[in-house]
Every structure is written in structure tokens, then in C-alpha cells.
Amino acid sequence: MDLSYKTPEELQKVLGERLRSLRLSRNLAQRELANKAGLSLRALHNLEAGAGSTIESLVRVLKALDTANAIDLLAPQPRVSPLMLLKQGHP
């Protein structure tokens, strides 16, 4: 699925749907995951609905679902090329 043409609002909905699917695949009720993540039920509902949420809520849910490593896919650590640093004059 090519997500590059989606608006930020559409991407929030896609992310929420995927988190919901992941929660359901783990046989967790919303209330159970909310408790495990230390969130209110409303905060989890908003995240899953793509209705606006916080980064903290997303991170808490990822940790509660044992998928915090997904952050590496979301924002990969850039690799610094030693040759590029030399070309730019940085030690």
C-alpha cells in the first residue's frame, strides 16, 4: 500500500487501524490495553480512531504491545558515512 499520497489525517487513521488490528490479534480488549499502557480508555480510542493523539500515547501503546522496536521503522537511525564527514570537513 502506497501511503505517500495520503494526507496526515488519513495516515493517522491508517495507523490507528493498524494498532487496533494488532491489539485484536493479541486478543486484548481496549480497556485491557489502555490499562496496560497506562492510558485512559478515551485516549486509546482516539488513537485507534485516528482522531488525534499524542506521541506519548503512541509510544505507551507500542510498549504495551511489545512492539516498541517499530520506532526503528518509523524513524530509522541515520547512518553517518565517515567519507562524507571527511568531505564536509568534520572530524
Side-chain angles (χ1 to χ4, degrees), residues 19-79:
L19 289 171
R20 181 178 184 275
S21 293
L22 186 57
R23 173 180 59 79
L24 292 173
S25 75
R26 305 272 172 89
N27 295 315
L28 292 169
Q30 269 190 335
R31 185 172 306 283
E32 189 177 0
L33 179 57
N35 288 339
K36 191 174 178 182
L39 295 174
S40 69
L41 185 57
R42 183 56 144 171
L44 178 59
H45 174 78
N46 286 344
L47 181 62
E48 288 187 355
S53 194
T54 66
I55 292 174
E56 181 178 354
S57 294
L58 174 60
V59 169
R60 286 176 174 269
V61 167
L62 290 174
K63 285 182 62 78
L65 291 170
D66 296 321
T67 56
N69 288 339
I71 293 170
D72 285 335
L73 295 172
L74 182 64
Q77 182 70 32
R79 299 190 187 267

Side-chain angles (χ1 to χ4, degrees), residues 1-15:
M1 170 189 257
D2 185 5
L3 300 174
S4 61
Y5 297 105
K6 298 215 177 270
T7 66
E9 292 78 16
E10 291 170 327
L11 290 171
Q12 285 184 73
K13 287 195 177 291
V14 169
L15 179 59

